[in-house]
Amino acid sequence: MPKKNIRDIIGYGAKGLKVVWPNNARIAVQIVLNYEEGAESCVLNGDKNSEIFLSEIIGAKPIKGRHVNMESLYEYGSRAGFWRLHKLFQEKKIPITVFGVGMALDKNPEICKAIKEAGYEVASHGWRWIDYQNIKKSEEKEHMKLAIQTHKKIFGVRPNGWYTGRCSPNTRDLVMEDGGFLYDSDSYSDDLPYWETRNKKSQLIIPYTLDNNDMRFTTNQGFNTGDHFFTYLKDSFDTLYEEGKTSPKMMSVGLHCRLIGKPGRIQSLKKFLDYVLKHEDVWLCKRIDIAKHWMKNYSN
């Protein structure tokens, strides 16, 4: 006999859900900037191997000692990429959500200061930028506590949102056990937020994206040029904007300082933002804005 299905593979189904965004917008566009630099796998952080994920070295192998090339590729994001993106968002007045890794933020007070002054939302991206799939639940729980404590120390308040990224089967349970997060984004299962209930507790899920995401510049079957990225984002926006005449949706865009922050890629993001800004009835927002709107109007 198959095991009881604990996955919701139906969602809103054929009926869908009639959503009304603020000012009757046809689409909610939400930009996420991942800040991970300095918290990746590295022997200097006490790890056994170097980082292998999301860098210009596609298909990198783990090295037991220092991988200086990998370290410097990550450092590009904090040294140059963040500032190039920050300037763009400020010039175009784009509200963003930062998925901030606790250890990474703690190592760069200057970037934290810029984030605070800009009024960006910072959702917790965990304590480390590592794969939690096979990490013990007790250790993952301790890392979640460290992430929250570090966030409070830097920003004066606890994070409202959570996104591990490379999560484990325990991550959602830990988020719900903590009970202090307004939303969890460790899901890619919908174009709209939804509620998940476990053990009589409900948690708002605001799905994220791995396709409208610059990570595909550094993965197989990914984007080779900025034009590929722009075209894909534009097509996604156009589809959801058209659907938004009768059935408004949400579009997430995922960015990384060390990836889209490169000179040869950022023009595609500029083109996309300009394209979005030319349209009426678009709600450019932070993730926390979506969460508060959903909790107010679509309570579980």
Side-chain angles (χ1 to χ4, degrees), residues 122-156:
V122 184
S124 183
H125 196 1
W127 169 240
R128 294 292 313 282
W129 172 231
I130 57 177
D131 190 346
Y132 282 87
Q133 178 66 33
N134 297 311
I135 287 180
K136 292 180 180 178
K137 184 177 181 179
S138 59
E139 185 176 354
E140 187 176 358
K141 183 176 183 177
E142 185 59 31
H143 279 203
M144 184 175 286
K145 286 182 179 178
L146 277 170
I148 296 169
Q149 290 168 2
T150 303
H151 192 104
K152 285 181 178 177
K153 181 185 75 173
I154 296 171
F155 300 105

Side-chain angles (χ1 to χ4, degrees), residues 12-13 15-19 192-193 246-249 294 298:
Y12 294 116
K15 289 179 62 177
L17 180 68
K18 180 62 177 178
V19 173
L192 286 174
T246 56
S247 181
K249 302 288 195 320
W294 206 265
Y298 306 98

Side-chain angles (χ1 to χ4, degrees), residues 136 187 211 278:
K136 292 180 180 178
S187 171
D211 63 312
K278 289 177 182 177

Side-chain angles (χ1 to χ4, degrees), residues 6 125-126 128-144 162-177 184-188 196 198:
I6 61 172
H125 196 1
R128 294 292 313 282
W129 172 231
I130 57 177
D131 190 346
Y132 282 87
Q133 178 66 33
N134 297 311
I135 287 180
K136 292 180 180 178
K137 184 177 181 179
S138 59
E139 185 176 354
E140 187 176 358
K141 183 176 183 177
E142 185 59 31
H143 279 203
M144 184 175 286
W162 182 269
Y163 175 73
T164 297
R166 290 183 280 177
C167 61
S168 80
N170 298 315
T171 305
R172 174 85 23 93
D173 287 333
L174 289 170
V175 167
M176 296 178 76
E177 285 172 17
D184 176 351
S185 286
D186 274 312
S187 171
Y188 315 97
E196 181 165 326
R198 295 187 183 183

Side-chain angles (χ1 to χ4, degrees), residues 16-259:
L17 180 68
K18 180 62 177 178
V19 173
V20 179
W21 294 128
N23 299 315
N24 290 312
R26 288 168 58 168
I27 183 174
V29 177
Q30 206 291 296
I31 308 292
V32 167
L33 179 62
N34 291 270
Y35 188 75
E36 302 155 348
E37 287 75 8
E40 74 278 7
S41 292
C42 177
V43 295
L44 299 178
N45 289 335
D47 301 304
K48 294 180 181 179
N49 300 297
S50 61
E51 184 59 66
I52 61 173
F53 195 47
L54 294 191
S55 81
E56 305 298 330
I57 310 174
I58 300 174
K61 304 298 182 184
I63 292 176
K64 291 184 178 180
R66 289 187 65 188
H67 192 332
V68 176
N69 287 347
M70 180 65 74
E71 290 173 19
S72 66
L73 285 167
Y74 265 75
E75 288 158 11
Y76 187 92
S78 56
R79 292 167 60 102
F82 172 84
W83 298 107
R84 183 171 287 124
L85 290 160
H86 178 57
K87 183 173 182 287
L88 173 63
F89 295 138
Q90 291 297 98
E91 286 177 351
K92 297 190 180 298
K93 296 181 173 59
I94 305 295
I96 71 165
T97 292
V98 176
F99 281 173
V101 179
M103 180 183 281
L105 292 169
D106 200 41
K107 290 180 176 179
N108 202 321
E110 191 174 3
I111 280 179
C112 292
K113 183 174 182 288
I115 287 171
K116 285 187 276 190
E117 290 177 348
Y120 299 152
E121 179 204 359
V122 184
S124 183
H125 196 1
W127 169 240
R128 294 292 313 282
W129 172 231
I130 57 177
D131 190 346
Y132 282 87
Q133 178 66 33
N134 297 311
I135 287 180
K136 292 180 180 178
K137 184 177 181 179
S138 59
E139 185 176 354
E140 187 176 358
K141 183 176 183 177
E142 185 59 31
H143 279 203
M144 184 175 286
K145 286 182 179 178
L146 277 170
I148 296 169
Q149 290 168 2
T150 303
H151 192 104
K152 285 181 178 177
K153 181 185 75 173
I154 296 171
F155 300 105
V157 294
R158 67 160 288 144
N160 285 309
W162 182 269
Y163 175 73
T164 297
R166 290 183 280 177
C167 61
S168 80
N170 298 315
T171 305
R172 174 85 23 93
D173 287 333
L174 289 170
V175 167
M176 296 178 76
E177 285 172 17
D178 175 80
F181 294 104
L182 297 188
Y183 69 89
D184 176 351
S185 286
D186 274 312
S187 171
Y188 315 97
S189 63
D190 213 305
D191 298 310
L192 286 174
Y194 60 90
W195 293 93
E196 181 165 326
T197 301
R198 295 187 183 183
N199 298 319
K200 299 182 180 179
K201 283 186 177 181
S202 292
Q203 178 67 56
L204 178 61
I205 312 300
I206 302 182
Y208 185 45
T209 177
L210 294 184
D211 63 312
N212 294 318
N213 195 310
D214 66 358
M215 67 177 286
R216 291 183 59 197
F217 279 113
T218 56
T219 59
N220 294 328
Q221 202 274 306
F223 304 125
N224 290 325
T225 69
D227 285 341
H228 292 167
F229 188 46
F230 169 72
T231 299
Y232 194 90
L233 292 181
K234 179 181 177 296
D235 286 349
S236 297
F237 177 86
D238 287 347
T239 297
L240 294 169
Y241 190 75
E242 182 179 355
E243 290 179 3
K245 291 178 182 178
T246 56
S247 181
K249 302 288 195 320
M250 174 185 74
M251 177 180 177
S252 296
V253 178
L255 307 172
H256 297 76
C257 302
R258 64 191 176 278
L259 301 182

